[in-house]
Amino acid sequence: MNTNNLTSATFSRRVDIDLAKATGILLVALGHFGGMVSEPPEWFVYAKQAVYTFHMPLFLMLSGYLMVRTRSANEQNTFLGAVRADSRRLLIPYILFALLFDSGFQIYYGGVWWKALLSPFYLAPARHATYLWFLPVLFILRLIIRISKQWGFSLFVILFLVRTGLLLPDYAHTMDTPFLFIGYLTYYGIFFFLGCDWAHNTLWRYMRFVAPILALLFAAGLWMRFSLILCQARSVLLGLLLAIVGSLMVWGWSMLWQKESIARALWAQVGKNSDIIYLLHPLLMYPFGWSVTKWNLPFGLMLSIALVVALIIPMAIVRKFGQTTIVRFFLGRKR
């Protein structure tokens, strides 16, 4: 998502990561379309469940990997400079779009205006802004790894076990603190730290060679999830394995796409602009979901059009207005 500002003199932009981000943001948009329709078809329900096993873990892994492998000049100077940079990249877009999607709807439906405007500062994303959780969660994860990477991964494994009820089950319900987004942190933090660890070794170089095997393993895992009745511990373990295998599968197939072509260049551009696609896609797709519910238009047709619109229009905005101050401010990019 918002990893476009991370550049350095020692790390050239990786096309395979842009391709993986493009696939990931397409799957994010596809999954969110289901929430805009009252009764999606059965095939889409299964497709959405499959997509939701790994599409956000993929982005967290890539974010952790890129954080370690890239360093901008101001991040190397001071801790506060790095926090300011992350605030610009992540918190400003979060607050602005939370005000647009959440506070705006609260005011429209009769909520107290000042409470609605302050809600992004003390409440977890809600209603139409739920999808924005990624931005503050990534901000907190990046902050934690700067403070101490050594204890960070172990802490999140313990918190995840508590959150799922496998460890200290009596305390699982007390961890959903809105401001800290504990429910998201305890799960997605694991994949972020895995991405950070992979940046220090060369194992990722071999993912393209095992991508077909990962695809078969992912298919087998999906079959187990949809066909078998598992206990809680095995279900949690299977979910973690599906998230890791699915993420590596997408990344590995992206590495296999090495032959330069127009399609590859266009898909890489989608990945480069995944931040603005992420921020705008619900607004762009909602009319098509509403038309399925209200006018009973063909679901497949509306889904296809919605996905194309969600990808093309944000990229057109960046191409036309990407260097303007207002667009760069909304996206958290450097002026």
Side-chain angles (χ1 to χ4, degrees), residues 134-275:
F134 176 83
L135 299 176
V137 164
L138 183 57
F139 175 82
I140 296 174
L141 288 172
R142 289 173 64 87
L143 183 63
I144 289 175
I145 200 172
R146 287 193 175 96
I147 296 174
S148 176
K149 180 179 182 294
Q150 285 70 29
W151 59 263
F153 181 76
S154 301
L155 171 65
F156 275 90
V157 171
I158 294 173
L159 289 176
F160 174 73
L161 294 175
V162 175
R163 181 65 182 82
T164 56
L166 299 179
L167 181 67
L168 303 175
D170 293 338
Y171 294 91
H173 67 282
T174 64
M175 298 184 65
D176 286 326
T177 306
F179 180 73
L180 293 176
F181 308 94
I182 296 296
Y184 293 107
L185 280 170
T186 53
Y187 180 68
Y188 292 105
I190 294 176
F191 308 106
F192 180 81
F193 281 98
L194 285 176
C196 293
D197 287 334
W198 287 335
H200 292 294
N201 59 60
T202 59
L203 290 178
W204 59 267
R205 299 178 184 271
Y206 303 99
M207 279 193 292
R208 62 183 175 183
F209 301 110
V210 297
I213 298 176
L214 292 173
L216 293 175
L217 290 175
F218 183 74
L222 285 181
W223 177 84
M224 294 177 62
R225 179 163 186 168
F226 293 145
S227 304
L228 303 180
I229 299 176
L230 304 175
C231 66
Q232 182 183 9
R234 291 177 179 175
S235 179
V236 170
L237 179 60
L238 179 60
L240 287 172
L241 291 176
L242 281 172
I244 295 173
V245 172
S247 300
L248 296 180
M249 174 186 67
V250 172
W251 197 355
W253 281 107
S254 299
M255 292 180 181
L256 285 174
W257 196 358
Q258 295 184 341
K259 184 177 180 180
E260 295 187 4
S261 63
I262 296 177
R264 181 175 181 262
L266 289 175
W267 200 237
Q269 284 297 320
V270 173
K272 290 179 182 179
N273 293 286
S274 59
D275 55 346

Side-chain angles (χ1 to χ4, degrees), residues 26-210:
L26 175 68
L27 297 177
V28 168
L30 184 145
H32 286 166
F33 188 78
M36 305 173 187
V37 180
S38 58
E39 295 182 2
E42 185 178 3
W43 67 265
F44 181 82
V45 174
Y46 284 105
K48 180 179 177 180
Q49 291 178 12
V51 165
Y52 269 53
T53 60
F54 71 91
H55 70 324
M56 294 313 300
L58 169 64
F59 274 109
L60 268 299
M61 285 185 187
L62 294 176
S63 298
Y65 177 86
L66 288 174
M67 181 181 179
V68 174
R69 291 300 300 269
T70 60
R71 291 291 184 270
S72 63
N74 61 347
E75 286 181 338
Q76 293 177 341
N77 290 336
T78 64
F79 174 80
L80 292 179
V83 173
R84 284 196 299 269
D86 283 348
S87 299
R88 184 192 71 246
R89 297 167 182 159
L90 301 170
L91 295 187
I92 290 179
Y94 163 68
I95 292 173
L96 291 175
F97 281 84
L99 287 171
L100 174 63
F101 285 109
D102 195 4
S103 302
F105 278 97
Q106 288 186 44
I107 295 173
Y108 178 79
Y109 288 109
V112 181
W113 68 270
W114 62 269
K115 288 185 178 180
L117 292 177
L118 290 176
S119 63
F121 297 95
Y122 69 92
L123 292 177
R127 294 176 61 86
H128 300 276
T130 304
Y131 78 102
L132 292 170
W133 65 264
F134 176 83
L135 299 176
V137 164
L138 183 57
F139 175 82
I140 296 174
L141 288 172
R142 289 173 64 87
L143 183 63
I144 289 175
I145 200 172
R146 287 193 175 96
I147 296 174
S148 176
K149 180 179 182 294
Q150 285 70 29
W151 59 263
F153 181 76
S154 301
L155 171 65
F156 275 90
V157 171
I158 294 173
L159 289 176
F160 174 73
L161 294 175
V162 175
R163 181 65 182 82
T164 56
L166 299 179
L167 181 67
L168 303 175
D170 293 338
Y171 294 91
H173 67 282
T174 64
M175 298 184 65
D176 286 326
T177 306
F179 180 73
L180 293 176
F181 308 94
I182 296 296
Y184 293 107
L185 280 170
T186 53
Y187 180 68
Y188 292 105
I190 294 176
F191 308 106
F192 180 81
F193 281 98
L194 285 176
C196 293
D197 287 334
W198 287 335
H200 292 294
N201 59 60
T202 59
L203 290 178
W204 59 267
R205 299 178 184 271
Y206 303 99
M207 279 193 292
R208 62 183 175 183
F209 301 110
V210 297

